[in-house]
Amino acid sequence: MSEKPLGERVSAVESDVKNLTGWQTSQNGAIHRVEAKVDKLQFWIMTVVAGAVLNLLGLILTTVMKG
């Protein structure tokens, strides 16, 4: 089996690098979108937890003041 000339091999490597760079850019965009969704989810979870804590405190205070 004969080897390809150096120019063809370099051209193939350049093409592969270009494809990988494009793929990496696409993946980075996807990662940023997932990160934004996780941040939103974390915000909503913290909001619900804070609401539950405040509700529980209100319930405890109401119970203590009646008793």
Side-chain angles (χ1 to χ4, degrees):
M1 180 169 165
S2 68
E3 273 214 24
K4 292 181 181 179
L6 182 59
E8 284 183 29
R9 292 187 310 189
V10 169
S11 177
V13 169
E14 287 176 343
S15 176
D16 289 346
V17 168
K18 184 177 179 182
N19 289 337
L20 285 172
T21 302
W23 177 82
Q24 185 179 28
T25 301
S26 172
Q27 292 301 306
N28 286 343
I31 289 169
H32 288 299
R33 288 189 299 276
V34 168
E35 184 180 23
K37 288 179 182 180
V38 168
D39 287 345
K40 266 188 201 176
L41 183 59
Q42 185 179 17
F43 170 78
W44 283 108
I45 289 171
M46 294 300 289
T47 301
V48 168
V49 168
V53 167
L54 289 175
N55 195 4
L56 184 60
L57 285 173
L59 182 63
I60 290 170
L61 287 175
T62 303
T63 305
V64 167
M65 290 186 145
K66 284 185 178 180

Short mmCIF file of all heavy atoms in Angstrom, two decimals:
data_model
loop_
_atom_site.label_atom_id
_atom_site.label_comp_id
_atom_site.label_asym_id
_atom_site.label_seq_id
_atom_site.Cartn_x
_atom_site.Cartn_y
_atom_site.Cartn_z
N MET A 1 0.85 -1.18 0.00
CA MET A 1 0.00 0.00 0.00
C MET A 1 0.89 1.24 0.00
O MET A 1 1.77 1.40 0.83
CB MET A 1 -0.88 -0.05 1.25
CG MET A 1 -1.81 1.08 1.39
SD MET A 1 -2.93 0.66 2.73
CE MET A 1 -3.62 2.19 3.03
N SER A 2 0.66 2.12 -0.94
CA SER A 2 1.51 3.32 -1.03
C SER A 2 0.91 4.43 -0.20
O SER A 2 -0.29 4.53 -0.03
CB SER A 2 1.64 3.75 -2.49
OG SER A 2 0.40 4.21 -2.95
N GLU A 3 1.80 5.25 0.35
CA GLU A 3 1.35 6.38 1.17
C GLU A 3 0.92 7.53 0.28
O GLU A 3 1.46 7.73 -0.80
CB GLU A 3 2.50 6.83 2.07
CG GLU A 3 2.49 6.06 3.33
CD GLU A 3 2.94 6.87 4.52
OE1 GLU A 3 2.85 8.11 4.53
OE2 GLU A 3 3.38 6.22 5.46
N LYS A 4 -0.02 8.28 0.80
CA LYS A 4 -0.46 9.48 0.09
C LYS A 4 0.65 10.50 0.15
O LYS A 4 1.40 10.55 1.13
CB LYS A 4 -1.73 10.05 0.72
CG LYS A 4 -2.94 9.18 0.57
CD LYS A 4 -4.14 9.87 1.21
CE LYS A 4 -5.37 9.01 1.10
NZ LYS A 4 -6.54 9.63 1.72
N PRO A 5 0.69 11.37 -0.83
CA PRO A 5 1.68 12.46 -0.77
C PRO A 5 1.42 13.37 0.43
O PRO A 5 0.29 13.47 0.92
CB PRO A 5 1.46 13.22 -2.08
CG PRO A 5 0.71 12.29 -2.97
CD PRO A 5 -0.05 11.37 -2.08
N LEU A 6 2.48 14.01 0.89
CA LEU A 6 2.40 14.87 2.07
C LEU A 6 1.34 15.95 1.91
O LEU A 6 0.59 16.23 2.84
CB LEU A 6 3.77 15.51 2.33
CG LEU A 6 3.87 16.40 3.56
CD1 LEU A 6 3.52 15.62 4.81
CD2 LEU A 6 5.25 17.01 3.68
N GLY A 7 1.23 16.53 0.75
CA GLY A 7 0.24 17.59 0.52
C GLY A 7 -1.17 17.11 0.74
O GLY A 7 -2.00 17.82 1.33
N GLU A 8 -1.49 15.89 0.29
CA GLU A 8 -2.82 15.34 0.47
C GLU A 8 -3.09 15.05 1.94
O GLU A 8 -4.20 15.29 2.44
CB GLU A 8 -2.98 14.05 -0.34
CG GLU A 8 -3.16 14.27 -1.82
CD GLU A 8 -3.37 12.96 -2.56
OE1 GLU A 8 -3.91 12.00 -1.96
OE2 GLU A 8 -3.00 12.89 -3.74
N ARG A 9 -2.08 14.54 2.63
CA ARG A 9 -2.26 14.26 4.05
C ARG A 9 -2.48 15.53 4.85
O ARG A 9 -3.33 15.59 5.75
CB ARG A 9 -1.06 13.48 4.60
CG ARG A 9 -0.98 12.08 4.02
CD ARG A 9 0.08 11.25 4.66
NE ARG A 9 1.35 11.97 4.69
CZ ARG A 9 2.50 11.44 5.04
NH1 ARG A 9 2.56 10.18 5.41
NH2 ARG A 9 3.61 12.15 5.05
N VAL A 10 -1.70 16.58 4.53
CA VAL A 10 -1.86 17.86 5.23
C VAL A 10 -3.24 18.44 4.94
O VAL A 10 -3.92 18.93 5.86
CB VAL A 10 -0.74 18.85 4.82
CG1 VAL A 10 -1.06 20.26 5.32
CG2 VAL A 10 0.60 18.38 5.33
N SER A 11 -3.67 18.33 3.71
CA SER A 11 -4.99 18.84 3.34
C SER A 11 -6.09 18.09 4.10
O SER A 11 -7.06 18.70 4.58
CB SER A 11 -5.20 18.69 1.84
OG SER A 11 -6.49 19.11 1.47
N ALA A 12 -5.94 16.77 4.24
CA ALA A 12 -6.92 15.97 4.97
C ALA A 12 -6.94 16.37 6.45
O ALA A 12 -8.00 16.48 7.06
CB ALA A 12 -6.61 14.49 4.82
N VAL A 13 -5.76 16.60 7.02
CA VAL A 13 -5.68 17.00 8.43
C VAL A 13 -6.32 18.37 8.62
O VAL A 13 -7.07 18.60 9.57
CB VAL A 13 -4.22 17.00 8.93
CG1 VAL A 13 -4.11 17.67 10.29
CG2 VAL A 13 -3.68 15.59 9.00
N GLU A 14 -6.06 19.30 7.70
CA GLU A 14 -6.67 20.62 7.79
C GLU A 14 -8.19 20.53 7.71
O GLU A 14 -8.91 21.22 8.45
CB GLU A 14 -6.14 21.53 6.68
CG GLU A 14 -4.72 21.98 6.89
CD GLU A 14 -4.17 22.80 5.72
OE1 GLU A 14 -4.76 22.75 4.61
OE2 GLU A 14 -3.16 23.48 5.92
N SER A 15 -8.69 19.67 6.85
CA SER A 15 -10.13 19.49 6.72
C SER A 15 -10.71 18.90 8.00
O SER A 15 -11.78 19.34 8.47
CB SER A 15 -10.43 18.56 5.54
OG SER A 15 -11.80 18.30 5.45
N ASP A 16 -10.02 17.92 8.57
CA ASP A 16 -10.49 17.33 9.83
C ASP A 16 -10.52 18.36 10.95
O ASP A 16 -11.46 18.41 11.75
CB ASP A 16 -9.60 16.15 10.23
CG ASP A 16 -9.79 14.94 9.34
OD1 ASP A 16 -10.79 14.90 8.59
OD2 ASP A 16 -8.92 14.03 9.39
N VAL A 17 -9.49 19.19 11.04
CA VAL A 17 -9.41 20.22 12.08
C VAL A 17 -10.55 21.22 11.90
O VAL A 17 -11.20 21.61 12.87
CB VAL A 17 -8.04 20.92 12.08
CG1 VAL A 17 -8.07 22.17 12.95
CG2 VAL A 17 -6.95 19.97 12.54
N LYS A 18 -10.82 21.60 10.66
CA LYS A 18 -11.91 22.53 10.39
C LYS A 18 -13.25 21.92 10.82
O LYS A 18 -14.07 22.60 11.46
CB LYS A 18 -11.95 22.88 8.91
CG LYS A 18 -12.99 23.91 8.54
CD LYS A 18 -12.94 24.26 7.06
CE LYS A 18 -14.01 25.28 6.73
NZ LYS A 18 -14.01 25.60 5.30
N ASN A 19 -13.46 20.65 10.50
CA ASN A 19 -14.71 19.98 10.90
C ASN A 19 -14.81 19.89 12.42
O ASN A 19 -15.88 20.11 12.99
CB ASN A 19 -14.78 18.57 10.29
CG ASN A 19 -15.01 18.60 8.80
OD1 ASN A 19 -15.53 19.57 8.25
ND2 ASN A 19 -14.60 17.55 8.13
N LEU A 20 -13.72 19.56 13.07
CA LEU A 20 -13.73 19.47 14.54
C LEU A 20 -13.97 20.83 15.18
O LEU A 20 -14.67 20.92 16.19
CB LEU A 20 -12.41 18.88 15.05
CG LEU A 20 -12.27 17.37 14.84
CD1 LEU A 20 -10.85 16.93 15.21
CD2 LEU A 20 -13.29 16.60 15.64
N THR A 21 -13.42 21.87 14.61
CA THR A 21 -13.63 23.22 15.13
C THR A 21 -15.10 23.61 15.02
O THR A 21 -15.68 24.16 15.96
CB THR A 21 -12.74 24.23 14.39
OG1 THR A 21 -11.38 23.85 14.51
CG2 THR A 21 -12.92 25.63 14.94
N GLY A 22 -15.72 23.28 13.88
CA GLY A 22 -17.15 23.55 13.71
C GLY A 22 -17.98 22.77 14.70
O GLY A 22 -18.93 23.28 15.30
N TRP A 23 -17.64 21.49 14.89
CA TRP A 23 -18.35 20.64 15.84
C TRP A 23 -18.20 21.20 17.25
O TRP A 23 -19.17 21.23 18.01
CB TRP A 23 -17.79 19.22 15.76
CG TRP A 23 -18.40 18.29 16.75
CD1 TRP A 23 -19.59 17.63 16.63
CD2 TRP A 23 -17.87 17.94 18.03
NE1 TRP A 23 -19.82 16.88 17.76
CE2 TRP A 23 -18.77 17.04 18.63
CE3 TRP A 23 -16.71 18.27 18.71
CZ2 TRP A 23 -18.55 16.50 19.88
CZ3 TRP A 23 -16.50 17.72 19.96
CH2 TRP A 23 -17.41 16.85 20.53
N GLN A 24 -17.00 21.64 17.60
CA GLN A 24 -16.75 22.17 18.94
C GLN A 24 -17.58 23.44 19.17
O GLN A 24 -18.15 23.63 20.24
CB GLN A 24 -15.27 22.47 19.12
CG GLN A 24 -14.90 22.92 20.51
CD GLN A 24 -13.41 23.20 20.66
OE1 GLN A 24 -12.74 23.56 19.70
NE2 GLN A 24 -12.91 23.04 21.87
N THR A 25 -17.67 24.29 18.17
CA THR A 25 -18.48 25.50 18.28
C THR A 25 -19.94 25.14 18.52
O THR A 25 -20.61 25.73 19.37
CB THR A 25 -18.34 26.35 17.00
OG1 THR A 25 -16.97 26.69 16.82
CG2 THR A 25 -19.16 27.61 17.07
N SER A 26 -20.42 24.15 17.80
CA SER A 26 -21.80 23.69 17.96
C SER A 26 -22.01 23.14 19.37
O SER A 26 -23.03 23.43 20.02
CB SER A 26 -22.10 22.61 16.93
OG SER A 26 -23.34 22.02 17.18
N GLN A 27 -21.08 22.36 19.86
CA GLN A 27 -21.19 21.79 21.20
C GLN A 27 -21.15 22.88 22.27
O GLN A 27 -21.88 22.80 23.25
CB GLN A 27 -20.06 20.78 21.45
CG GLN A 27 -20.18 19.53 20.61
CD GLN A 27 -21.48 18.80 20.85
OE1 GLN A 27 -21.82 18.48 21.97
NE2 GLN A 27 -22.24 18.56 19.78
N ASN A 28 -20.30 23.87 22.08
CA ASN A 28 -20.23 24.97 23.04
C ASN A 28 -21.56 25.71 23.12
O ASN A 28 -22.01 26.08 24.21
CB ASN A 28 -19.11 25.94 22.69
CG ASN A 28 -17.74 25.39 23.00
OD1 ASN A 28 -17.60 24.43 23.75
ND2 ASN A 28 -16.71 25.98 22.41
N GLY A 29 -22.20 25.91 21.98
CA GLY A 29 -23.52 26.55 21.97
C GLY A 29 -24.54 25.72 22.72
O GLY A 29 -25.35 26.25 23.49
N ALA A 30 -24.50 24.41 22.50
CA ALA A 30 -25.43 23.52 23.20
C ALA A 30 -25.18 23.55 24.70
O ALA A 30 -26.11 23.55 25.50
CB ALA A 30 -25.30 22.09 22.66
N ILE A 31 -23.92 23.56 25.09
CA ILE A 31 -23.57 23.60 26.51
C ILE A 31 -24.08 24.88 27.15
O ILE A 31 -24.62 24.87 28.26
CB ILE A 31 -22.05 23.44 26.71
CG1 ILE A 31 -21.64 22.01 26.38
CG2 ILE A 31 -21.63 23.81 28.12
CD1 ILE A 31 -20.14 21.79 26.30
N HIS A 32 -23.95 25.99 26.44
CA HIS A 32 -24.43 27.28 26.99
C HIS A 32 -25.95 27.26 27.15
O HIS A 32 -26.48 27.79 28.13
CB HIS A 32 -23.99 28.44 26.12
CG HIS A 32 -22.54 28.75 26.20
ND1 HIS A 32 -21.92 29.13 27.37
CD2 HIS A 32 -21.56 28.71 25.26
CE1 HIS A 32 -20.63 29.31 27.15
NE2 HIS A 32 -20.39 29.05 25.88
N ARG A 33 -26.66 26.65 26.20
CA ARG A 33 -28.12 26.57 26.32
C ARG A 33 -28.52 25.69 27.51
O ARG A 33 -29.44 26.04 28.25
CB ARG A 33 -28.73 26.05 25.01
CG ARG A 33 -28.68 27.06 23.87
CD ARG A 33 -29.49 26.60 22.67
NE ARG A 33 -29.01 25.36 22.09
CZ ARG A 33 -28.01 25.25 21.22
NH1 ARG A 33 -27.37 26.33 20.82
NH2 ARG A 33 -27.66 24.06 20.73
N VAL A 34 -27.84 24.59 27.70
CA VAL A 34 -28.14 23.71 28.83
C VAL A 34 -27.82 24.43 30.14
O VAL A 34 -28.60 24.36 31.11
CB VAL A 34 -27.34 22.39 28.74
CG1 VAL A 34 -27.41 21.60 30.03
CG2 VAL A 34 -27.85 21.54 27.58
N GLU A 35 -26.71 25.15 30.16
CA GLU A 35 -26.34 25.91 31.37
C GLU A 35 -27.41 26.93 31.72
O GLU A 35 -27.78 27.09 32.89
CB GLU A 35 -24.99 26.60 31.13
CG GLU A 35 -24.45 27.33 32.33
CD GLU A 35 -23.11 27.99 32.05
OE1 GLU A 35 -22.80 28.26 30.87
OE2 GLU A 35 -22.39 28.25 33.02
N ALA A 36 -27.95 27.62 30.72
CA ALA A 36 -28.99 28.61 30.97
C ALA A 36 -30.25 27.93 31.52
O ALA A 36 -30.89 28.46 32.44
CB ALA A 36 -29.33 29.36 29.67
N LYS A 37 -30.59 26.75 30.99
CA LYS A 37 -31.76 26.04 31.49
C LYS A 37 -31.56 25.58 32.93
O LYS A 37 -32.48 25.64 33.75
CB LYS A 37 -32.07 24.85 30.59
CG LYS A 37 -32.63 25.24 29.25
CD LYS A 37 -32.90 24.04 28.37
CE LYS A 37 -33.42 24.48 27.02
NZ LYS A 37 -33.69 23.32 26.14
N VAL A 38 -30.36 25.11 33.24
CA VAL A 38 -30.07 24.67 34.60
C VAL A 38 -30.14 25.85 35.57
O VAL A 38 -30.67 25.74 36.67
CB VAL A 38 -28.69 23.97 34.68
CG1 VAL A 38 -28.24 23.77 36.12
CG2 VAL A 38 -28.72 22.64 33.93
N ASP A 39 -29.62 26.99 35.14
CA ASP A 39 -29.69 28.19 35.99
C ASP A 39 -31.14 28.58 36.27
O ASP A 39 -31.49 28.92 37.40
CB ASP A 39 -28.96 29.36 35.33
CG ASP A 39 -27.44 29.21 35.36
OD1 ASP A 39 -26.94 28.36 36.14
OD2 ASP A 39 -26.76 29.93 34.60
N LYS A 40 -32.00 28.52 35.24
CA LYS A 40 -33.42 28.83 35.44
C LYS A 40 -34.06 27.84 36.40
O LYS A 40 -34.82 28.22 37.29
CB LYS A 40 -34.16 28.76 34.10
CG LYS A 40 -34.30 30.06 33.38
CD LYS A 40 -35.21 29.87 32.19
CE LYS A 40 -34.96 30.96 31.19
NZ LYS A 40 -35.76 30.78 29.98
N LEU A 41 -33.76 26.58 36.21
CA LEU A 41 -34.33 25.54 37.07
C LEU A 41 -33.88 25.74 38.51
O LEU A 41 -34.68 25.63 39.45
CB LEU A 41 -33.91 24.16 36.56
CG LEU A 41 -34.46 22.96 37.30
CD1 LEU A 41 -35.99 22.96 37.28
CD2 LEU A 41 -33.92 21.68 36.70
N GLN A 42 -32.61 26.06 38.69
CA GLN A 42 -32.08 26.30 40.03
C GLN A 42 -32.79 27.50 40.67
O GLN A 42 -33.14 27.45 41.85
CB GLN A 42 -30.58 26.55 39.97
CG GLN A 42 -29.92 26.70 41.31
CD GLN A 42 -28.43 26.94 41.19
OE1 GLN A 42 -27.92 27.29 40.13
NE2 GLN A 42 -27.72 26.75 42.28
N PHE A 43 -33.03 28.55 39.91
CA PHE A 43 -33.74 29.72 40.42
C PHE A 43 -35.14 29.33 40.89
O PHE A 43 -35.57 29.72 41.99
CB PHE A 43 -33.83 30.80 39.33
CG PHE A 43 -34.74 31.94 39.70
CD1 PHE A 43 -34.32 32.92 40.58
CD2 PHE A 43 -36.01 32.02 39.16
CE1 PHE A 43 -35.17 33.97 40.92
CE2 PHE A 43 -36.87 33.05 39.50
CZ PHE A 43 -36.44 34.03 40.38
N TRP A 44 -35.86 28.56 40.07
CA TRP A 44 -37.22 28.18 40.44
C TRP A 44 -37.24 27.26 41.65
O TRP A 44 -38.11 27.37 42.52
CB TRP A 44 -37.95 27.55 39.26
CG TRP A 44 -38.41 28.60 38.29
CD1 TRP A 44 -37.91 28.86 37.07
CD2 TRP A 44 -39.44 29.56 38.52
NE1 TRP A 44 -38.55 29.92 36.50
CE2 TRP A 44 -39.50 30.37 37.37
CE3 TRP A 44 -40.29 29.82 39.57
CZ2 TRP A 44 -40.41 31.42 37.25
CZ3 TRP A 44 -41.20 30.87 39.45
CH2 TRP A 44 -41.24 31.65 38.30
N ILE A 45 -36.29 26.36 41.73
CA ILE A 45 -36.22 25.47 42.89
C ILE A 45 -35.97 26.28 44.16
O ILE A 45 -36.61 26.07 45.19
CB ILE A 45 -35.13 24.39 42.70
CG1 ILE A 45 -35.58 23.38 41.66
CG2 ILE A 45 -34.82 23.68 44.01
CD1 ILE A 45 -34.50 22.41 41.22
N MET A 46 -35.04 27.23 44.10
CA MET A 46 -34.75 28.06 45.26
C MET A 46 -35.96 28.91 45.63
O MET A 46 -36.24 29.12 46.82
CB MET A 46 -33.53 28.95 44.99
CG MET A 46 -32.24 28.18 44.84
SD MET A 46 -31.82 27.21 46.29
CE MET A 46 -31.37 28.50 47.41
N THR A 47 -36.70 29.39 44.65
CA THR A 47 -37.90 30.18 44.90
C THR A 47 -38.96 29.34 45.62
O THR A 47 -39.57 29.78 46.60
CB THR A 47 -38.47 30.74 43.58
OG1 THR A 47 -37.47 31.54 42.95
CG2 THR A 47 -39.70 31.56 43.81
N VAL A 48 -39.16 28.12 45.15
CA VAL A 48 -40.15 27.24 45.78
C VAL A 48 -39.72 26.88 47.20
O VAL A 48 -40.55 26.89 48.13
CB VAL A 48 -40.35 25.97 44.92
CG1 VAL A 48 -41.14 24.91 45.67
CG2 VAL A 48 -41.04 26.32 43.61
N VAL A 49 -38.44 26.60 47.39
CA VAL A 49 -37.95 26.27 48.74
C VAL A 49 -38.13 27.47 49.67
O VAL A 49 -38.58 27.31 50.82
CB VAL A 49 -36.47 25.80 48.69
CG1 VAL A 49 -35.87 25.74 50.09
CG2 VAL A 49 -36.37 24.45 48.01
N ALA A 50 -37.79 28.65 49.20
CA ALA A 50 -37.95 29.85 50.03
C ALA A 50 -39.42 30.06 50.38
O ALA A 50 -39.76 30.38 51.53
CB ALA A 50 -37.39 31.07 49.31
N GLY A 51 -40.32 29.86 49.42
CA GLY A 51 -41.74 29.98 49.69
C GLY A 51 -42.22 28.97 50.71
O GLY A 51 -43.01 29.29 51.61
N ALA A 52 -41.73 27.74 50.60
CA ALA A 52 -42.12 26.70 51.55
C ALA A 52 -41.62 27.03 52.95
O ALA A 52 -42.34 26.84 53.94
CB ALA A 52 -41.58 25.34 51.09
N VAL A 53 -40.40 27.53 53.05
CA VAL A 53 -39.83 27.89 54.35
C VAL A 53 -40.65 29.02 54.97
O VAL A 53 -40.98 28.99 56.17
CB VAL A 53 -38.34 28.27 54.23
CG1 VAL A 53 -37.83 28.94 55.49
CG2 VAL A 53 -37.51 27.03 53.90
N LEU A 54 -40.96 30.04 54.18
CA LEU A 54 -41.76 31.16 54.71
C LEU A 54 -43.15 30.69 55.13
O LEU A 54 -43.67 31.12 56.17
CB LEU A 54 -41.86 32.27 53.66
CG LEU A 54 -40.57 33.05 53.41
CD1 LEU A 54 -40.77 34.03 52.26
CD2 LEU A 54 -40.13 33.77 54.67
N ASN A 55 -43.74 29.81 54.35
CA ASN A 55 -45.05 29.27 54.69
C ASN A 55 -44.97 28.49 56.00
O ASN A 55 -45.84 28.62 56.87
CB ASN A 55 -45.54 28.36 53.56
CG ASN A 55 -47.01 28.05 53.66
OD1 ASN A 55 -47.69 28.56 54.53
ND2 ASN A 55 -47.48 27.20 52.77
N LEU A 56 -43.94 27.68 56.17
CA LEU A 56 -43.75 26.92 57.39
C LEU A 56 -43.54 27.83 58.59
O LEU A 56 -44.11 27.61 59.67
CB LEU A 56 -42.57 25.96 57.23
CG LEU A 56 -42.29 25.01 58.39
CD1 LEU A 56 -43.49 24.12 58.66
CD2 LEU A 56 -41.05 24.18 58.11
N LEU A 57 -42.74 28.88 58.41
CA LEU A 57 -42.54 29.84 59.50
C LEU A 57 -43.85 30.52 59.89
O LEU A 57 -44.13 30.72 61.07
CB LEU A 57 -41.49 30.89 59.11
CG LEU A 57 -40.04 30.43 59.12
CD1 LEU A 57 -39.13 31.51 58.55
CD2 LEU A 57 -39.60 30.06 60.53
N GLY A 58 -44.62 30.88 58.90
CA GLY A 58 -45.92 31.50 59.18
C GLY A 58 -46.83 30.55 59.93
O GLY A 58 -47.52 30.95 60.88
N LEU A 59 -46.83 29.29 59.55
CA LEU A 59 -47.63 28.30 60.24
C LEU A 59 -47.17 28.12 61.68
O LEU A 59 -47.99 28.07 62.60
CB LEU A 59 -47.55 26.97 59.49
CG LEU A 59 -48.37 25.80 60.03
CD1 LEU A 59 -49.86 26.13 59.95
CD2 LEU A 59 -48.05 24.55 59.26
N ILE A 60 -45.88 28.07 61.89
CA ILE A 60 -45.34 27.92 63.25
C ILE A 60 -45.69 29.14 64.09
O ILE A 60 -46.13 29.01 65.25
CB ILE A 60 -43.81 27.69 63.19
CG1 ILE A 60 -43.50 26.31 62.62
CG2 ILE A 60 -43.19 27.84 64.58
CD1 ILE A 60 -42.05 26.08 62.31
N LEU A 61 -45.51 30.33 63.55
CA LEU A 61 -45.83 31.55 64.30
C LEU A 61 -47.31 31.61 64.64
O LEU A 61 -47.70 32.00 65.74
CB LEU A 61 -45.40 32.79 63.52
CG LEU A 61 -43.90 33.04 63.47
CD1 LEU A 61 -43.61 34.23 62.55
CD2 LEU A 61 -43.34 33.31 64.86
N THR A 62 -48.15 31.25 63.69
CA THR A 62 -49.59 31.26 63.95
C THR A 62 -49.97 30.28 65.05
O THR A 62 -50.76 30.59 65.94
CB THR A 62 -50.36 30.89 62.65
OG1 THR A 62 -49.99 31.82 61.62
CG2 THR A 62 -51.85 30.92 62.86
N THR A 63 -49.35 29.10 65.01
CA THR A 63 -49.62 28.08 66.02
C THR A 63 -49.14 28.53 67.40
O THR A 63 -49.85 28.36 68.41
CB THR A 63 -48.95 26.75 65.64
OG1 THR A 63 -49.38 26.36 64.35
CG2 THR A 63 -49.28 25.66 66.63
N VAL A 64 -47.96 29.14 67.46
CA VAL A 64 -47.39 29.58 68.73
C VAL A 64 -48.23 30.71 69.32
O VAL A 64 -48.49 30.76 70.52
CB VAL A 64 -45.92 30.01 68.54
CG1 VAL A 64 -45.42 30.76 69.76
CG2 VAL A 64 -45.06 28.80 68.25
N MET A 65 -48.69 31.64 68.50
CA MET A 65 -49.45 32.79 68.99
C MET A 65 -50.83 32.37 69.48
O MET A 65 -51.38 32.99 70.38
CB MET A 65 -49.57 33.86 67.91
CG MET A 65 -48.26 34.53 67.61
SD MET A 65 -48.55 35.87 66.47
CE MET A 65 -47.35 37.03 67.05
N LYS A 66 -51.41 31.34 68.89
CA LYS A 66 -52.73 30.87 69.33
C LYS A 66 -52.61 30.08 70.62
O LYS A 66 -53.56 30.02 71.39
CB LYS A 66 -53.37 29.99 68.25
CG LYS A 66 -53.92 30.77 67.10
CD LYS A 66 -54.64 29.83 66.13
CE LYS A 66 -55.25 30.63 65.00
NZ LYS A 66 -55.94 29.77 64.05
N GLY A 67 -51.46 29.44 70.83
CA GLY A 67 -51.30 28.56 71.98
C GLY A 67 -50.84 29.28 73.17
O GLY A 67 -51.14 29.68 74.16
#
